[in-house]
Amino acid sequence: MKETHRQLARHLLAHRSKGYSFRYVMYVSRYRIALSLSYMAVLAFVLWYSEALLLQLICLFVIGMLVGAFLRDFGWLRRLKMNWPFTESVIDWKKVESIAQLEE
Protein backbone atom coordinates (compact mmCIF):
# COMPACT_ATOMS: atom_id res chain seq x y z
CA MET A 1 0.00 0.00 0.00
CA LYS A 2 1.33 3.42 -0.90
CA GLU A 3 2.01 5.96 1.82
CA THR A 4 -0.27 8.43 0.07
CA HIS A 5 -3.15 5.93 0.40
CA ARG A 6 -2.56 5.66 4.14
CA GLN A 7 -2.37 9.42 4.45
CA LEU A 8 -5.60 9.90 2.48
CA ALA A 9 -7.32 7.26 4.63
CA ARG A 10 -6.26 9.12 7.79
CA HIS A 11 -7.63 12.38 6.36
CA LEU A 12 -10.94 10.71 5.53
CA LEU A 13 -11.19 9.35 9.06
CA ALA A 14 -10.47 12.81 10.47
CA HIS A 15 -13.26 14.26 8.34
CA ARG A 16 -15.63 11.49 9.40
CA SER A 17 -15.02 12.14 13.09
CA LYS A 18 -15.33 15.96 12.91
CA GLY A 19 -17.32 16.52 9.73
CA TYR A 20 -15.73 17.94 6.61
CA SER A 21 -13.72 20.83 7.95
CA PHE A 22 -12.28 23.66 5.88
CA ARG A 23 -10.08 24.54 8.84
CA TYR A 24 -8.61 21.02 8.90
CA VAL A 25 -7.78 21.16 5.18
CA MET A 26 -6.13 24.56 5.62
CA TYR A 27 -4.13 23.27 8.60
CA VAL A 28 -2.90 20.21 6.69
CA SER A 29 -1.95 22.39 3.71
CA ARG A 30 -0.37 25.19 5.72
CA TYR A 31 3.18 24.71 4.37
CA ARG A 32 2.06 24.62 0.75
CA ILE A 33 -0.09 27.70 1.30
CA ALA A 34 2.80 29.52 3.00
CA LEU A 35 5.08 28.63 0.10
CA SER A 36 2.58 29.95 -2.46
CA LEU A 37 2.08 33.14 -0.47
CA SER A 38 5.85 33.56 -0.28
CA TYR A 39 6.06 33.25 -4.06
CA MET A 40 3.37 35.90 -4.39
CA ALA A 41 5.17 38.21 -1.95
CA VAL A 42 8.44 37.91 -3.87
CA LEU A 43 6.66 38.50 -7.17
CA ALA A 44 4.81 41.51 -5.72
CA PHE A 45 8.14 42.90 -4.48
CA VAL A 46 9.71 42.46 -7.92
CA LEU A 47 6.61 43.95 -9.56
CA TRP A 48 6.69 46.99 -7.29
CA TYR A 49 10.41 47.76 -7.59
CA SER A 50 11.15 46.66 -11.14
CA GLU A 51 11.25 49.17 -13.94
CA ALA A 52 11.39 46.58 -16.73
CA LEU A 53 7.96 46.34 -18.32
CA LEU A 54 8.40 42.73 -19.45
CA LEU A 55 9.39 41.63 -15.94
CA GLN A 56 6.39 43.48 -14.48
CA LEU A 57 4.06 41.76 -16.95
CA ILE A 58 5.52 38.35 -16.14
CA CYS A 59 5.12 38.99 -12.39
CA LEU A 60 1.55 40.17 -12.88
CA PHE A 61 0.75 37.10 -14.98
CA VAL A 62 2.21 34.67 -12.43
CA ILE A 63 0.48 36.44 -9.51
CA GLY A 64 -2.79 36.19 -11.43
CA MET A 65 -2.21 32.48 -12.02
CA LEU A 66 -1.53 31.90 -8.31
CA VAL A 67 -4.62 33.86 -7.26
CA GLY A 68 -6.65 31.91 -9.79
CA ALA A 69 -5.32 28.64 -8.39
CA PHE A 70 -6.30 29.71 -4.85
CA LEU A 71 -9.81 30.64 -6.01
CA ARG A 72 -10.16 27.33 -7.86
CA ASP A 73 -9.01 25.41 -4.78
CA PHE A 74 -11.43 27.25 -2.50
CA GLY A 75 -14.28 26.50 -4.89
CA TRP A 76 -13.23 22.86 -5.03
CA LEU A 77 -13.14 22.65 -1.21
CA ARG A 78 -16.58 24.29 -1.02
CA ARG A 79 -18.02 21.70 -3.40
CA LEU A 80 -16.37 18.86 -1.46
CA LYS A 81 -17.91 20.16 1.76
CA MET A 82 -21.35 20.41 0.14
CA ASN A 83 -21.08 16.83 -1.16
CA TRP A 84 -19.60 15.37 2.03
CA PRO A 85 -22.85 13.81 3.33
CA PHE A 86 -23.18 11.76 0.14
CA THR A 87 -19.49 10.84 0.12
CA GLU A 88 -19.68 9.78 3.75
CA SER A 89 -22.65 7.53 3.03
CA VAL A 90 -21.01 5.62 0.16
CA ILE A 91 -17.50 5.11 1.58
CA ASP A 92 -16.59 1.66 2.90
CA TRP A 93 -15.31 2.87 6.28
CA LYS A 94 -14.00 -0.55 7.35
CA LYS A 95 -11.72 -0.60 4.34
CA VAL A 96 -10.58 3.00 5.01
CA GLU A 97 -9.82 2.10 8.64
CA SER A 98 -7.81 -0.94 7.59
CA ILE A 99 -5.77 1.14 5.12
CA ALA A 100 -5.09 3.81 7.76
CA GLN A 101 -3.96 1.21 10.33
CA LEU A 102 -1.48 -0.50 8.01
CA GLU A 103 1.05 2.17 8.99
CA GLU A 104 1.15 1.23 12.67
Side-chain angles (χ1 to χ4, degrees):
M1 188 67 51
K2 292 181 180 179
E3 176 58 32
T4 54
H5 292 172
R6 288 188 287 268
Q7 188 177 22
L8 289 170
R10 288 192 305 268
H11 292 317
L12 281 172
L13 291 172
H15 287 302
R16 182 178 75 165
S17 67
K18 300 176 186 174
Y20 196 87
S21 169
F22 185 72
R23 183 180 296 172
Y24 175 79
V25 173
M26 297 301 288
Y27 177 76
V28 169
S29 304
R30 66 189 179 277
Y31 296 118
R32 289 185 184 114
I33 293 169
L35 184 63
S36 294
L37 290 175
S38 298
Y39 287 151
M40 276 200 274
V42 168
L43 289 167
F45 180 81
V46 171
L47 175 67
W48 188 265
Y49 289 105
S50 175
E51 294 185 15
L53 181 61
L54 181 62
L55 187 58
Q56 289 176 338
L57 290 174
I58 291 171
C59 288
L60 217 69
F61 176 76
V62 175
I63 289 171
M65 295 293 284
L66 288 170
V67 168
F70 273 119
L71 292 175
R72 179 207 56 214
D73 290 347
F74 287 126
W76 182 69
L77 288 172
R78 192 176 129 256
R79 284 188 303 278
L80 280 174
K81 185 172 178 71
M82 286 173 27
N83 294 327
W84 180 248
F86 173 75
T87 304
E88 190 174 21
S89 69
V90 297
I91 290 179
D92 182 359
W93 289 107
K94 290 180 183 174
K95 188 170 183 177
V96 172
E97 288 168 353
S98 70
I99 292 170
Q101 291 175 356
L102 287 176
E103 176 189 338
E104 298 172 3

